[in-house]
Amino acid sequence: MPPAVPSPILRRRRLGTELRRLREAAGLTGDQVIERIGWASASKLSRLENGRSRPDPDDVTALLELYGADAESRTDLLTIAREAGDVRGWRRSYPVMTQQQLGWAEIEAGCAEIREYNPVLVPGLLQTPGYARLRIVSADRAATTAGDPQAGEDPETEVRARLARQSLLDRADAPRYTAVLEEAALGERAGPSEVRREQLSKLCELAILPNVTLRLLQRTTVIGDFYLPPTAFSLYRFADPQDPETLAIEGGFIDVMSHDANTVNHYKVVFEWLCSAALSATDTLSWLFEETGRLTGTAAPSTAVHGAAAAPTQRRPSGRLTER
């Protein structure tokens, strides 16, 4: 498995941030830059600085010369510009990809660490084909009823695209991955027993990978002073320390991304609260094996191999988070 490469989206964002910093350091306004370089479109610089367009290396070279960037900065930023424009090269890492999954795959690429929580679903990077198919088909029905023109497309292609994203966890340079799972996401409402059994078995396999940590929140678990997380979210930290930590809030039919440090820190606190309330990784693995055995009608594997299922210790998180 080839190593993960930085996503074009992140490279564009990084390039835009650096170009804006250099322009401001040179004491130039956007209008002055457009006039001196002779670009016809006044919005061209804005799109570059906001990471909304695929950069042309010649355009980036012209900006770097105008700003008086040193040789090292020019080399680094031109490399980033080429990575930002190489969408085809990046997508060769995936055997199949759909537009719906493309955004998630791009944000996951180049990650050093991913942390996820979902109050009702198993996160996409952990889903089996059967579990994913149920989620996709049921969501499509709701979207079709609402008149979404993209609804009803081939669910099997969408399933394969979701599975293609999962190759991230098997790479030689795989990110550190932690997920807090809700017991409800694996309960009767999640699907028929064979789908749930397959999903539980998959989680057992993933939980023993050295880069994967799974923590279970049981139905009766109280988080702090009865705190209830309002939404699913993911936190991304990237291998390049210059790429800002990113928060993704998953809202079902709409997703929101944020790079604001205060907002990201807000959710990092919530994730720590969830981990403090959840079962330990060892107890979670024991629970997964026991639940799989219950659905298959077999005894759970020996805890001597998979760790003893000691009674979990509840820790009260410090601090207070305002719900909104």
Side-chain angles (χ1 to χ4, degrees):
M1 183 72 65
V5 296
S7 84
I9 285 180
L10 286 173
R11 298 288 84 182
R12 290 176 202 168
R13 189 176 300 128
R14 168 77 179 284
L15 177 66
T17 299
E18 292 298 322
L19 290 176
R20 184 185 304 110
R21 182 184 63 80
L22 288 170
R23 175 177 60 77
E24 292 172 349
L28 296 171
T29 66
D31 289 340
Q32 289 172 327
V33 171
I34 295 297
E35 180 180 357
R36 295 188 187 187
I37 293 183
W39 286 345
S41 172
S43 64
K44 186 172 183 177
L45 180 63
S46 175
R47 291 198 304 271
L48 270 175
E49 290 188 350
N50 287 290
R52 295 199 304 267
S53 65
R54 187 182 303 178
D56 183 326
D58 290 339
D59 290 338
V60 175
T61 298
L63 291 173
L64 295 175
E65 289 178 353
L66 177 62
Y67 300 157
D70 59 43
E72 183 178 357
S73 294
R74 292 189 188 197
T75 300
D76 290 345
L77 292 180
L78 285 173
T79 298
I80 291 174
R82 285 190 291 271
E83 292 173 345
D86 187 17
V87 176
R88 290 184 179 179
W90 176 78
R91 291 192 66 168
R92 280 196 295 269
S93 302
Y94 299 91
V96 63
M97 188 55 62
T98 64
Q99 193 62 38
Q100 184 173 0
Q101 295 298 317
L102 182 61
W104 294 114
E106 286 196 328
I107 200 70
E108 290 159 355
C111 274
E113 182 178 21
I114 301 174
R115 288 167 286 179
E116 297 197 283
Y117 166 75
N118 194 306
V120 292
L121 303 175
V122 172
L125 286 174
L126 307 176
Q127 292 177 7
T128 62
Y131 189 97
R133 188 176 296 109
L134 272 180
R135 306 286 72 81
I136 292 165
V137 170
S138 59
D140 270 353
R141 288 175 182 165
T144 299
T145 303
D148 186 342
Q150 294 184 336
E153 297 180 354
D154 180 20
E156 294 308 314
T157 301
E158 186 70 16
V159 169
R160 290 195 297 273
R162 191 168 299 193
L163 297 179
R165 286 172 50 210
Q166 296 178 4
S167 65
L168 180 77
L169 298 179
D170 295 326
R171 294 185 184 275
D173 60 346
R176 180 70 191 168
Y177 180 86
T178 304
V180 176
L181 307 173
E182 286 278 2
E183 185 177 353
L186 300 164
E188 289 78 2
R189 293 176 62 190
S193 58
E194 60 270 20
V195 171
R196 291 160 50 217
R197 180 170 59 247
E198 181 186 42
Q199 181 63 74
L200 285 162
S201 296
K202 172 79 169 180
L203 292 175
C204 289
E205 296 172 6
L206 291 169
I208 60 178
L209 293 178
N211 59 304
V212 174
T213 300
L214 303 182
R215 308 285 296 272
L216 183 81
L217 266 176
Q218 295 179 294
R219 289 186 178 90
T220 57
T221 299
V222 174
I223 305 168
D225 296 324
F226 292 91
Y227 175 73
L228 295 175
T231 186
F233 66 91
S234 303
L235 293 161
Y236 304 96
R237 183 175 62 82
F238 301 99
D240 188 335
Q242 297 302 315
D243 289 332
E245 290 187 84
T246 299
L247 163 73
I249 300 175
E250 187 175 353
F253 299 104
I254 187 170
D255 304 315
V256 177
M257 298 284 181
S258 176
H259 315 285
D260 176 72
N262 289 333
T263 304
V264 171
N265 287 335
H266 191 113
Y267 279 84
K268 286 167 72 173
V269 169
V270 172
F271 195 80
E272 289 303 316
W273 286 12
L274 294 170
C275 286
S276 294
L279 295 179
S280 69
T282 299
D283 291 343
T284 295
L285 183 56
S286 295
W287 186 94
L288 291 170
F289 275 116
E290 289 169 4
E291 191 66 10
T292 303
R294 186 183 69 80
L295 286 177
T296 58
T298 61
S302 170
T303 55
V305 176
H306 301 289
T313 301
Q314 293 278 336
R315 289 181 289 165
R316 296 172 63 85
S318 59
R320 184 172 300 276
L321 189 71
T322 302
E323 289 188 299
R324 42 184 165 173

